[in-house]
Amino acid sequence: MTLSDQPPAAALVFQTLLAHGPLTRAETGRRTGLSPGAVTKVATPLLADGWIAELAEPAPKRATGRPATLIAVRGERARFIGVKVTADELIGVVADLTARPLVTRRAVLDSRDVGTVVLAIARLVEELRAAVPTGPDGSGGGGGQDGSVQDGGIHSIGVTISGDVDGQTGVVQYSPFLNWHRVALAQLVETATSTPTVIENDVRALTVTEQWFGAGAGLSSFALITVGAGIGCGLSIGGRVVSGAHGVSGEVGHLPVGGTERTCTCGNTGCVEAVASTHAITEQARAATGDPGLTMTQAVRLAHSGDPEVRAVFTRAGHALGLAIASVANLIGPERIIISGEGVATYDLFADQVRETFAARAFGAAAECDLLLRPLPFEEWARGGAAVAAQHLFAPPK
Amino acid sequence: MTLSDQPPAAALVFQTLLAHGPLTRAETGRRTGLSPGAVTKVATPLLADGWIAELAEPAPKRATGRPATLIAVRGERARFIGVKVTADELIGVVADLTARPLVTRRAVLDSRDVGTVVLAIARLVEELRAAVPTGPDGSGGGGGQDGSVQDGGIHSIGVTISGDVDGQTGVVQYSPFLNWHRVALAQLVETATSTPTVIENDVRALTVTEQWFGAGAGLSSFALITVGAGIGCGLSIGGRVVSGAHGVSGEVGHLPVGGTERTCTCGNTGCVEAVASTHAITEQARAATGDPGLTMTQAVRLAHSGDPEVRAVFTRAGHALGLAIASVANLIGPERIIISGEGVATYDLFADQVRETFAARAFGAAAECDLLLRPLPFEEWARGGAAVAAQHLFAPPK
């Protein structure tokens, strides 16, 4: 059995159990809008093929009636490898069907050319495959009788990368920091690893794990804004991550907030990224101090010690981020905006300005949007790749 | 029978027929992901109660097999009144279940205080009720045997208004141009007209009709940007109009695009609306010409005659709109952006600048987003109110 042959109701039941399980059949029906009969009908083949299981422990007995049996996704049924590509390293993880991480590894990237990166991904995948523990339940070694789970228990790979990534066709249309144009990355990794591979924009992939298992679980809508080498944004509306009709969405880094004459990587001026990215902050701190060799770490130290010019650089970045966050709140009206990325390590330096600008620019009730600071290490981003691969169980890429 | 008692699958079938019908049962199943049996099951009570009907004409016969029967929504089954409130007049329409307009009327507003506006709405509703034709099929006078369709065949009223409108609670939280705060408008109109009433933000309501019956039909996502007294935006993603978790969404008019020291109605500077609204254009043209009595019509005439200062005002507005449109494309990635509103009457004066700025600021493949200019008179906006009322057949407001 492959899950992609199952009816849409099966995907709905499975994903509901993934995000909210264990649940009784009755509660699964309430949450999906399916009748009890329909839940039982789609659950039966999923049970038979080991994708879900009945828990031994029954749900607490209600005042009247029989105790109801809980059903849940069997995490060990399939494993996925997630790889996040940054400018100078790869971060890899093996996760189970519920995106629980089992093993993580990192690998330095010597070069950014396509061939080197693909080879490095293949080597990291081999290393992860070798390191993955084979559980006492035998789940690591075997696989489904129909071959849907491959040798070593790895079902598929999800590679995530920043830029304009078309998950449907598996092509990186444009990745500014790698300077890649139209790279058929999914196919290249699939050939190098002999394992089905999907690719996704890294922020969108992280948004998927936040939606299913993180600070976005159970929300009607949320945005994830990542601050670091770039300024990214993932959007989840009505339980679905917005991917953009043409592959582009969440490009909050290029909102034209003005306030700078610095030229952005995209060629325009006034972009959020041109003021608030790690690189932009470092360059502005160098200009402010007149020290062309100043590092980000030194800039942070100067700001903490009260240097007014360097502090002003962080305040300006905070203002640009506050404008970007307010723009997302005003346009989409999410329940919550999660702020993450490497940049949150120094968030104390601009947090006040972010909140002040947000409060001033949020329109009406948009100000009620919950701002949540949430550090997520790169291993979490890699886990996003595994979650995206798991998502494709029901909807394989073209 | 009331439709809100029907299972979710019934709403899915009904809305699919509304947007894409007439369809065969098989095609309805394909589009909804429901099995043929499930389609037949939910269609039976809808047929029995006259919400949908089988067409006499069968679908074109296929090479083999019996001709399939088409099913379609019966537009005459229920009627709705839509009212759009502007700063100085009301525009009303009676539409059938498929949002086909039957009668339209306008009424001047003498004052913007709540009592006056509610009374004027009640009077307009009476006028529309009296003017609505009673068809030879008797649909205008009767109603369902269970009373679900009211006297005169008007099922409910949908009032639309710009600002922060909470459709779920029926409260206008804030409407800047009427200077209303926390007005329980739905309840007030319901009491004054003795007819169930829902309210909605006017741009969102227009987005609903564009999604079902207009330039957004069949698209995976689109945005509607309206240019006029304000700059508004409606978003449709995955077949649903985005309403915002806190009631605010689509506030593109307050994106901080900079380029002006003019103070916006929201109290900030740099907003799109502070440069590109009708009022902002008129004021800037007055400043440019030194004529404090200059009207918008005169400003347009001066621009058409080639006055460089006045032309520059329109170009600046076009640049701000181009930035706003690019921001929506970069953040949401819609398939199409529809540009409408009263302001499109003078769109030739800034169209070039809009396209130039959009092309420069759209990030990567976001530039492939289709920009569509589409004049929609206020009667279309009023029709949006009727469509929103019809939407509540399946999901009555709290």
Side-chain angles (χ1 to χ4, degrees):
Chain A
M1 187 187 89
T2 59
L3 290 183
S4 57
D5 296 338
Q6 296 296 305
L12 196 59
V13 164
F14 191 76
Q15 284 163 2
T16 302
L17 289 173
L18 206 49
H20 306 290
L23 298 173
T24 62
R25 284 180 175 78
E27 180 59 24
T28 307
R30 269 190 291 279
R31 287 182 185 247
T32 54
L34 293 169
S35 69
V39 171
T40 298
K41 192 177 164 193
V42 300
T44 302
L46 295 176
L47 278 163
D49 205 43
W51 293 97
I52 61 177
E54 293 185 338
L55 298 200
E57 188 81 14
K61 214 181 256 189
R62 282 178 298 174
T64 57
R66 295 173 304 159
T69 308
L70 290 169
I71 48 177
V73 168
R74 283 185 67 241
E76 62 272 31
R77 179 63 177 81
R79 290 171 172 180
F80 305 86
I81 288 180
V83 177
K84 149 114 172 131
V85 183
T86 76
D88 43 25
E89 69 175 337
L90 303 175
I91 301 96
V93 64
V94 181
D96 74 6
L97 186 48
T98 63
R100 187 170 59 98
L102 306 172
V103 174
T104 63
R105 287 286 184 283
R106 290 187 176 222
V108 172
L109 275 184
D110 300 323
S111 146
R112 296 174 193 178
D113 73 79
V114 176
T116 308
V117 173
V118 170
L119 260 179
I121 292 174
R123 245 183 256 121
L124 182 65
V125 165
E126 269 323 292
E127 208 183 311
L128 286 163
R129 222 192 266 277
V132 72
T134 308
D137 57 353
S139 59
Q145 294 173 337
D146 61 355
S148 63
V149 179
Q150 309 234 335
D151 278 328
I154 301 299
H155 181 279
S156 52
I157 300 170
V159 180
T160 76
I161 196 163
S162 86
D164 177 357
V165 176
D166 187 337
Q168 280 299 318
T169 60
V171 173
V172 177
Q173 295 293 346
Y174 176 47
S175 180
F177 80 100
L178 292 173
N179 197 25
W180 285 7
H181 292 268
R182 291 189 194 77
V183 174
L185 185 64
Q187 204 183 2
L188 290 169
V189 173
E190 196 159 313
T191 305
T193 60
S194 306
T195 308
T197 301
V198 296
I199 66 172
E200 185 51 284
N201 170 278
D202 57 350
V203 179
R204 282 210 288 267
L206 186 61
T207 308
V208 169
T209 58
E210 284 296 279
Q211 175 182 287
W212 283 9
F213 314 106
L219 301 183
S220 62
S221 59
F222 71 93
L224 167 69
I225 292 190
T226 59
V227 185
I231 315 288
C233 175
L235 301 169
S236 166
I237 300 178
R240 291 168 75 173
V241 174
V242 175
S243 59
H246 306 283
V248 171
S249 69
E251 284 298 342
V252 77
H254 304 286
L255 283 180
V257 297
T260 178
E261 291 310 309
R262 292 172 44 77
T263 302
C264 183
T265 48
C266 74
N268 287 298
T269 58
C271 295
V272 177
E273 248 179 58
V275 195
S277 73
T278 308
H279 179 70
I281 290 175
T282 309
E283 281 207 339
Q284 291 170 97
R286 285 173 182 169
T289 56
D291 175 359
L294 193 80
T295 64
M296 182 65 170
T297 312
Q298 291 168 324
V300 169
R301 204 174 301 135
L302 281 173
H304 277 145
S305 74
D307 182 298
E309 271 85 23
V310 178
R311 281 202 80 91
V313 168
F314 283 95
T315 302
R316 203 148 57 227
H319 179 62
L321 285 173
L323 290 174
I325 293 167
S327 297
V328 170
N330 292 347
L331 258 184
I332 319 289
E335 225 175 309
R336 169 178 288 168
I337 295 180
I338 304 164
I339 302 161
S340 192
E342 320 92 89
V344 301
T346 57
Y347 195 71
D348 62 302
L349 287 167
F350 42 76
D352 289 351
Q353 188 59 52
V354 166
R355 287 189 184 273
E356 191 182 305
T357 302
F358 174 77
R361 302 296 311 212
F363 187 79
E368 292 167 26
C369 177
D370 176 37
L371 302 191
L372 178 74
L373 188 69
R374 183 162 151 84
L376 293 165
F378 277 139
E379 280 73 13
E380 284 290 326
W381 292 61
R383 193 179 161 225
V388 166
Q391 254 194 336
H392 280 95
L393 277 172
F394 280 96
K398 288 165 193 157
Chain B
M1 186 188 90
T2 59
L3 291 183
S4 57
D5 296 338
Q6 296 297 305
L12 196 60
V13 164
F14 191 76
Q15 284 163 3
T16 301
L17 289 174
L18 206 48
H20 306 290
L23 298 174
T24 62
R25 283 178 175 79
E27 180 59 24
T28 307
R30 268 190 291 279
R31 288 182 184 247
T32 54
L34 294 168
S35 69
V39 172
T40 297
K41 193 178 165 194
V42 300
T44 302
L46 295 176
L47 277 163
D49 206 43
W51 293 98
I52 61 176
E54 293 185 336
L55 298 201
E57 190 80 13
K61 213 181 254 188
R62 281 177 299 174
T64 56
R66 295 174 304 159
T69 308
L70 290 169
I71 48 177
V73 169
R74 282 186 66 241
E76 63 270 32
R77 178 63 177 81
R79 290 172 173 180
F80 305 87
I81 288 179
V83 178
K84 150 116 173 130
V85 183
T86 75
D88 43 25
E89 68 175 337
L90 303 175
I91 301 93
V93 63
V94 181
D96 74 5
L97 185 48
T98 62
R100 187 170 58 98
L102 306 172
V103 175
T104 63
R105 288 283 185 281
R106 290 185 175 224
V108 172
L109 276 183
D110 300 324
S111 146
R112 295 173 193 180
D113 74 78
V114 176
T116 307
V117 173
V118 169
L119 260 180
I121 292 174
R123 246 183 254 121
L124 182 65
V125 164
E126 270 323 293
E127 208 182 311
L128 286 163
R129 223 191 266 278
V132 70
T134 307
D137 58 352
S139 59
Q145 294 173 340
D146 61 353
S148 63
V149 179
Q150 310 232 335
D151 278 329
I154 302 299
H155 180 279
S156 52
I157 300 170
V159 180
T160 76
I161 196 164
S162 86
D164 177 357
V165 176
D166 188 337
Q168 280 300 315
T169 60
V171 174
V172 177
Q173 294 294 347
Y174 175 48
S175 180
F177 79 101
L178 292 173
N179 198 24
W180 285 6
H181 292 267
R182 291 189 195 75
V183 174
L185 186 63
Q187 204 182 3
L188 291 169
V189 172
E190 196 159 315
T191 305
T193 61
S194 305
T195 307
T197 301
V198 296
I199 66 172
E200 185 51 284
N201 170 278
D202 57 351
V203 179
R204 282 210 289 267
L206 186 61
T207 308
V208 169
T209 58
E210 284 295 281
Q211 175 182 287
W212 283 8
F213 313 106
L219 300 183
S220 61
S221 59
F222 72 93
L224 167 69
I225 293 191
T226 58
V227 184
I231 315 289
C233 175
L235 300 169
S236 167
I237 300 178
R240 291 168 73 172
V241 175
V242 175
S243 59
H246 306 283
V248 171
S249 69
E251 284 297 342
V252 78
H254 304 286
L255 284 180
V257 296
T260 177
E261 290 311 309
R262 293 170 45 77
T263 302
C264 183
T265 48
C266 74
N268 288 300
T269 57
C271 294
V272 177
E273 244 177 63
V275 195
S277 73
T278 308
H279 179 71
I281 290 176
T282 309
E283 282 207 338
Q284 291 170 97
R286 284 173 182 169
T289 56
D291 175 359
L294 193 79
T295 63
M296 182 64 170
T297 312
Q298 291 168 324
V300 169
R301 205 173 302 137
L302 280 173
H304 277 145
S305 73
D307 182 297
E309 271 85 24
V310 178
R311 281 202 80 91
V313 168
F314 282 94
T315 302
R316 204 148 57 227
H319 180 62
L321 285 173
L323 290 174
I325 293 167
S327 298
V328 170
N330 292 347
L331 259 184
I332 318 288
E335 228 177 306
R336 170 178 287 168
I337 297 181
I338 304 163
I339 302 160
S340 192
E342 321 91 89
V344 300
T346 56
Y347 195 72
D348 62 303
L349 287 167
F350 41 76
D352 289 351
Q353 188 59 51
V354 167
R355 288 190 182 269
E356 189 181 308
T357 302
F358 174 77
R361 303 295 311 213
F363 186 79
E368 291 166 27
C369 176
D370 175 36
L371 303 191
L372 179 74
L373 187 69
R374 182 165 152 85
L376 293 165
F378 276 141
E379 279 73 13
E380 284 290 325
W381 292 62
R383 192 178 162 226
V388 167
Q391 254 195 336
H392 280 94
L393 277 172
F394 280 96
K398 288 165 192 157

